[in-house]
Amino acid sequence: NAHGGNRDAVSAALSRLTDEGRRCGAFSVAPRNGDAHAGRTETSLLLHLDPAAVRGERAAAGEKRPIAELIGRLRTEGVRPVSPNGVLGDPAGATAAEGRRLLEQAADECVATLDALISREPDGD
């Protein structure tokens, strides 16, 4: 659900489930630094998970403004009009070690989110 275009649908689903008295939540690996698509974060993760899938010779910086500044256009226009090469961020400096650290951090945050959800009292029957 980390895809920006899914935010409204996920919010609507959570709202409906909450209104029905269900215990629910959502976890998203949200970009923390504006690096949202094929930039350093995703490239590092892929270098850790599947290095053969990374074509380093094609790596190039794209639109580097923070995602918060771009999200409106991204939702209405898509990635290509915002960044002609499709990159949101800069893959320079990406490493498998950083990818491993980022994946471990995301897994820890996901577990903490689930633990909090499981320990919360149900809202209904």
Side-chain angles (χ1 to χ4, degrees):
N1 68 355
H3 190 277
N6 294 338
R7 186 190 73 176
D8 293 342
V10 171
S11 291
L14 287 172
S15 180
R16 181 173 183 168
L17 290 167
T18 301
D19 289 348
E20 292 174 357
R22 299 176 189 266
R23 180 173 35 187
C24 64
F27 175 75
S28 179
V29 182
R32 291 171 174 78
N33 60 1
D35 181 53
H37 190 264
R40 182 174 173 150
T41 300
E42 283 190 350
T43 303
S44 290
L45 285 166
L46 212 49
L47 284 168
H48 171 60
L49 295 169
D50 187 7
V54 178
R55 293 183 273 175
E57 74 282 357
R58 296 186 64 194
E63 175 57 66
K64 294 193 258 181
R65 285 181 287 165
I67 197 74
E69 292 179 28
L70 304 171
I71 196 66
R73 283 191 64 204
L74 288 168
R75 286 197 177 116
T76 59
E77 301 172 39
V79 173
R80 192 68 61 187
V82 174
S83 178
N85 70 351
V87 178
L88 298 173
D90 185 351
T95 66
E98 181 178 14
R100 179 181 177 160
R101 182 187 60 75
L102 290 167
L103 185 60
E104 288 173 353
Q105 178 183 355
D108 289 346
E109 290 173 4
C110 184
V111 168
T113 299
L114 288 171
D115 284 345
L117 179 63
I118 290 167
S119 68
R120 205 168 67 206
E121 288 295 319
D123 296 332
D125 23 327

